[in-house]
């Protein structure tokens, strides 16, 4: 069973479109995250939710909006996509905020054309 | 602001050789993570180091933490091709959310 799963794995879309990436974890963890990995493989946290409450909200454009309907899900919605949004977006989860082990999803490869 | 620097960024080594990847961080951190990422794949947790002097080993990889020097190392012993991957270290400052900051990654290629 996949512990942290995200969909879609690949997404190619045009500038200006709105898209969502979904994430689900079946580990019973309280905390979930979105990370962005750019073309140089640099990883940076975007958001974190603990028990459906937003606890980390890094300086990202407000075109990015996370939503956590329950502890097991954290979705990322992106409005008015721009070329610079092209990256790999990783969802992750841990038992507590940045607990001992953080489990990552396989990534969603977003290409904006 | 916590900054994490890894070096080298690229490492090409022969099978059977030993090498060390270094991870420096700029401010006090209460834990240090090492991850492995294969091309196009998820990050896989290797080690979490929680205290000064902590050493953990798994197979040919050994990680250590010196909190006074703000330095963690990942030592590779007798490298094999299967170890080819990108290795990331990440540090966290204690706090309500323990924000995790990643290094730039070390792309390791083990040559036959």
């Amino acid at each position: 069973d996949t512990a942290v799963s995200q969909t879609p794995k690949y997404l190619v879309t045009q500038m200006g479109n709105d898209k969502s990436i979904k994430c689900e974890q079946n580990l019973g963890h309280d905390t979930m995250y979105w990370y962005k990995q750019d073309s140089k493989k640099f990883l940076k946290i975007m958001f974190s939710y603990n028990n459906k409450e937003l606890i980390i909200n890094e300086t990202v454009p407000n075109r990015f909006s996370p939503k956590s309907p329950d502890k097991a899900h954290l979705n990322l919605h992106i409005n008015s996509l721009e070329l610079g949004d092209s990256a790999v977006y990783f969802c992750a989860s841990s038992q507590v905020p940045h607990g001992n082990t953080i489990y990552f999803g396989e990534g969603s490869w977003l290409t904006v054309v | 602001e916590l900054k994490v620097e890894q070096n080298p960024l690229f490492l090409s080594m022969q099978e059977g050789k030993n090498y060390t990847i270094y991870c420096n961080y700029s401010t006090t951190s209460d834990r240090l993570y090492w991850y492995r990422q294969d091309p196009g794949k998820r990050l896989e947790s290797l080690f979490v180091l929680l205290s000064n002097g902590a050493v953990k080993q798994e197979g040919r990889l050994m990680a250590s933490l010196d909190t006074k020097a703000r330095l963690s190392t990942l030592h590779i012993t007798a490298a094999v091709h299967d170890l080819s991957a990108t290795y990331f270290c990440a540090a966290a400052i204690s706090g309500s959310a323990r924000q995790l900051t990643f290094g730039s990654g070390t792309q390791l290629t083990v040559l036959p």
Side-chain angles (χ1 to χ4, degrees):
Chain A
D1 282 342
T2 304
V4 182
S5 59
Q6 43 185 122
T7 56
K9 187 173 174 66
Y10 300 101
L11 181 55
V12 181
T13 188
Q14 290 188 322
M15 282 176 56
N17 283 350
D18 302 339
K19 291 294 177 186
S20 291
I21 306 171
K22 295 186 176 182
C23 179
E24 176 181 5
Q25 53 96 2
N26 62 7
L27 297 165
H29 288 166
D30 288 344
T31 310
M32 296 184 72
Y33 316 84
W34 278 110
Y35 282 85
K36 179 180 179 179
Q37 188 173 43
D38 63 23
S39 58
K40 295 183 180 178
K41 294 191 177 178
F42 185 67
L43 267 159
K44 189 167 171 61
I45 191 166
M46 300 174 70
F47 302 104
S48 177
Y49 273 74
N50 186 50
N51 277 323
K52 300 194 298 175
E53 180 187 344
L54 182 66
I55 57 172
I56 294 176
N57 184 0
E58 284 300 288
T59 308
V60 299
N62 55 17
R63 298 181 292 105
F64 289 78
S65 54
K67 281 192 173 56
S68 181
D70 55 59
K71 284 196 321 181
H73 296 84
L74 180 61
N75 303 324
L76 183 66
H77 187 75
I78 315 169
N79 289 328
S80 303
L81 278 155
E82 299 177 359
L83 292 177
D85 297 333
S86 297
V88 185
Y89 293 85
F90 284 96
C91 178
S93 75
S94 63
Q95 182 61 51
V96 294
H98 286 123
N100 281 4
T101 304
I102 301 170
Y103 295 85
F104 282 80
E106 291 205 333
S108 294
W109 298 67
L110 172 64
T111 303
V112 182
V113 297
Chain B
E1 182 189 352
L2 175 62
K3 292 186 180 177
V4 179
E5 289 186 1
Q6 276 181 249
N7 69 84
L9 297 183
F10 298 94
L11 177 56
S12 211
M13 55 193 296
Q14 296 284 333
E15 279 192 326
K17 298 291 187 184
N18 305 332
Y19 210 83
T20 300
I21 300 170
Y22 297 88
C23 175
N24 287 92
Y25 52 96
S26 61
T27 61
T28 302
S29 173
D30 67 351
R31 55 190 58 210
L32 196 293
Y33 300 77
W34 283 97
Y35 281 89
R36 168 183 172 146
Q37 186 181 33
D38 291 297
K41 299 293 184 183
R42 75 180 78 217
L43 281 82
E44 301 281 357
S45 178
L46 293 173
F47 303 107
V48 181
L49 304 166
L50 300 176
S51 60
N52 186 41
V55 176
K56 290 195 174 179
Q57 183 163 4
E58 179 79 29
R60 300 174 189 274
L61 300 178
M62 183 173 72
S64 65
L65 178 62
D66 181 344
T67 57
K68 293 178 182 176
R70 296 178 186 163
L71 171 68
S72 180
T73 60
L74 181 67
H75 187 73
I76 303 154
T77 302
V80 293
H81 179 69
D82 284 353
L83 290 179
S84 296
T86 299
Y87 293 85
F88 291 92
C89 67
I93 300 174
S94 61
S96 60
R98 282 208 180 102
Q99 190 166 334
L100 201 60
T101 301
F102 279 83
S104 301
T106 297
Q107 189 173 318
L108 171 66
T109 304
V110 181
L111 304 170

